[in-house]
Amino acid sequence: MLVKKQIRGLPAYAPGKPIAEVKREYGLDHVIKMASNENPYGASPKVAERIAMVASETAIYPDGYGTELREALASKHQVSEKQIMLGNGSDEVIQFLCRGFLSSNTNTVMATPSFSQYKLNATIEDAQIIEVPVTSSGDHDLEAMLAAINEQTRIVWICNPNNPNGVALSREAFRHFLDRVPKECLVVSDEAYYEYVTTDDYPDSVSLLSHYPQLVVLRTFSKAYGLAGLRVGYGIASESVAQAIDPVRPPFNNNAIAHQAALAALEDEAFIRLCKEKNQQEKQRLRAYFEKEGFFVYPSETNFLLVETGIPGNQLFQAFLEKGFILRSGEALGYPTGIRISIGSKEENDAFLEVAPTIFNTCKT
């Protein structure tokens, strides 16, 4: 069988190891997953209540347009429902954009390291990939990215805050960049960790849509809202962009339970504020520990920390795994001597901090 040449040998996305698999492999009774940037506090209690109400309706197709959720999101962001693009996670919206705008005679510009799905989906569409290394401080090199844009460029990806390092762009830097990007080139601001940002100078990207018609903003329910298992993400764009790519969207790409769960999650902003507060407290505690150990910690505006340890990431990953902690090795993320750790609950972080000194001391020798 002959598949497209551009996907021959292309690696599939590698998620963090499942808890059940680690328990079986290492004979562990308790495993803490700190690899996938999930919300350790789960979802709002309203979500489970809403799911129970609709659990018996699985024989009926969902609303293929997602009317209720579109309207709720449009109201939240003060935009038209025609500007909303619903996806099976924001990953699927990335796929829509690549399918709609990229082809073999186009290119796309992105930072590196950054979120892997930009490059993967662009490669599938046979577009040329132009990668621009982040700066030594982990920032997008916006001047170099701007210089890389040419007449064939269709999409520029800005991951803000960036995954895997958590560094966020400022409002001023982002607007200055947008002012100079050609109007026919999309700028996609992927804001999966938006709800966790605490810095005062983070851009209010949705408010910029009326000034920059080429801007697309991505958000997700998988992180702070705690719906990673239900896969709901969305994009906000100009009506012309959103409506142009809508034919690419598969029918019923969000299931009915996911729609209702997302609606319930939106109703409980107090829960999100509490999660943000706890995340900030625990992030500061973990950062203080790593810095006391002499490690460099990137200034993260997310619910994870990328830590440069000077020790091979795979070695640390394995050492923590054997003790029941699933972290993310930096070797697959573009940081060979780093680890990425999701911010857990206080109890999870207590357990991590209890074993970490011994593991780091052992791996340093």
Side-chain angles (χ1 to χ4, degrees), residues 46-69:
K46 293 184 178 183
V47 169
E49 294 171 7
R50 188 71 60 86
I51 289 175
M53 290 171 60
V54 299
S56 63
E57 300 175 7
T58 56
I60 303 170
Y61 279 110
D63 173 4
Y65 188 66
T67 305
E68 281 189 274
L69 184 54

Side-chain angles (χ1 to χ4, degrees), residues 22 26 28 30-33 319-326:
V22 175
Y26 296 98
L28 299 169
H30 185 62
V31 171
I32 297 175
K33 186 180 179 186
F320 276 102
L321 193 67
E322 292 173 7
K323 294 295 184 181
F325 294 86
I326 308 173

